[in-house]
Amino acid sequence: ACDLWSCGVMLYWLVSQQFPFGKAGLAEDSGKAKLTFTSPVWVDSSQDAVSMISALLSRDVSFRMNAKQALQHVWIQKLAAKPPVEILEQRHIDSLQNYRSLNKFKRACLNMTACMLGEQDVGPSRRLFNALDVDGDGLLSMDELVQMVQKAALTAMKTRPKSLQKKEAEKIFKEKGQTISHMKAFTYTEFVAATFNRKRLLNEKVGRVVFNSFDKNGDGSIDLGELAGGRLLGHLRADELAQTLQELDQNGDAEIDFKEFMAM
């Protein structure tokens, strides 16, 4: 709630070049604080702007707008440009399906890489995610993807996605090793991890940073204990850990060295 309060303060300043509440201060618990829109600048501001800022700066937390409500507010919906559906291509659908088919170790490595990339590298994925996340909840659901694929498939783009049937969509949103009933939406980080340009960005320098995060003792290899002991993979059963190690261990020494790590 305090983050939304801060957003309200910043929006008030951006519109009026003044802080709300005047001399009473910006503290949420200031009993003397009274929110006013009497400055001349507010005369030319829309009622939608006043409505949203008022809701963000409500001193009663129970009445304060939450993040989802803020993103869906009419003022945001009117002014925030949505990227065109034309930016969704078949290669993006293929990338999402490929990501979910990977084991948890590979996905964790891609997630870590995505967190290290700069705006220039993640910008295309971020804009695409914002276009697909229709309800603005920070997650890409199966229904949202299917809906946007249907729209993009009607465009004249040569790279447009094919129609996405429910069974095909279920393969994308089903966790590996789980039944169809276990559908998992894509978080923003997962989406970026699935869609960034791996050929260009997965270089030795980045790989070394990710590798070292698993190689806890710094001996140049990742063993079963290091896979099981870290938090990056979450909870894995013993058979899942053994299978992950077996898939990547090319020389059969029961460890993953840096060369094997980069080969994956």
Side-chain angles (χ1 to χ4, degrees):
C2 59
D3 291 335
L4 276 301
W5 174 273
S6 300
C7 288
V9 172
M10 288 187 286
L11 282 175
Y12 192 101
W13 167 262
L14 289 171
V15 174
S16 67
Q17 298 298 295
Q18 297 175 340
F19 284 117
F21 309 114
K23 295 180 180 180
L26 300 177
E28 295 180 62
D29 58 354
S30 175
K32 298 179 180 179
K34 289 185 179 180
L35 183 62
T36 63
F37 297 89
T38 56
S39 171
V41 70
W42 293 105
V43 175
D44 297 323
S45 299
S46 70
Q47 286 302 306
D48 292 333
V50 173
S51 167
M52 180 171 180
I53 294 172
S54 297
L56 289 170
L57 292 176
S58 171
R59 285 165 52 197
D60 188 334
V61 178
S62 62
F63 289 104
R64 190 175 304 162
M65 183 181 291
N66 60 40
K68 184 175 182 178
Q69 291 170 332
L71 288 170
Q72 294 177 344
H73 191 276
V74 64
W75 191 43
I76 296 295
Q77 292 298 316
K78 283 181 180 179
L79 298 178
K82 276 284 186 181
V85 293
E86 285 82 357
I87 64 175
L88 178 61
E89 303 177 10
Q90 181 59 40
R91 63 185 176 90
H92 298 127
I93 308 302
D94 296 337
S95 294
L96 292 175
Q97 187 163 357
N98 170 264
Y99 175 86
R100 277 288 162 82
S101 70
L102 301 175
N103 62 44
K104 288 186 178 181
F105 179 68
K106 291 182 180 180
R107 280 184 282 166
C109 293
L110 289 173
N111 291 349
M112 286 190 64
T113 303
C115 292
M116 292 190 292
L117 300 177
E119 171 59 22
Q120 182 178 355
D121 299 320
V122 304
S125 293
R126 177 180 54 76
R127 289 189 291 273
L128 179 58
F129 183 85
N130 288 337
L132 298 175
D133 182 20
V134 178
D135 63 5
D137 66 350
L139 297 170
L140 173 61
S141 68
M142 185 174 75
D143 289 341
E144 287 174 325
L145 182 63
V146 170
Q147 177 185 341
M148 295 303 288
V149 167
Q150 290 174 345
K151 292 181 179 179
L154 298 175
T155 65
M157 294 188 308
K158 291 183 179 180
T159 56
R160 66 183 180 274
K162 306 168 187 175
S163 60
L164 187 63
Q165 303 301 322
K166 183 178 179 181
K167 286 187 177 181
E168 296 171 324
E170 287 174 345
K171 294 178 182 178
I172 297 175
F173 287 86
K174 183 176 76 69
E175 275 282 7
K176 185 178 181 181
Q178 298 290 337
T179 63
I180 292 295
S181 61
H182 290 79
M183 293 294 173
K184 186 175 183 295
F186 279 83
T187 65
Y188 171 72
T189 300
E190 288 176 322
F191 186 85
V192 173
T195 56
F196 75 80
N197 190 329
R198 297 181 196 175
K199 289 184 178 180
R200 184 171 67 85
L201 298 171
L202 284 180
N203 53 49
E204 185 171 332
K205 182 179 179 180
V206 171
R208 180 63 69 179
V209 174
V210 177
F211 180 84
N212 289 343
S213 68
F214 287 97
D215 180 19
K216 299 299 184 182
N217 61 10
D219 65 351
S221 63
I222 303 170
D223 59 28
L224 193 62
E226 288 170 320
L227 283 178
R231 296 182 179 181
L232 297 172
L233 292 179
H235 175 70
L236 285 180
R237 300 190 310 271
D239 60 321
E240 290 179 309
L241 286 168
Q243 183 179 356
T244 297
L245 188 63
Q246 185 178 8
E247 288 178 3
L248 303 177
D249 178 22
Q250 298 177 349
N251 59 14
D253 64 352
E255 294 180 336
I256 305 169
D257 59 34
F258 185 65
K259 183 179 180 180
E260 291 169 329
F261 179 82
M262 291 302 293
M264 79 173 182

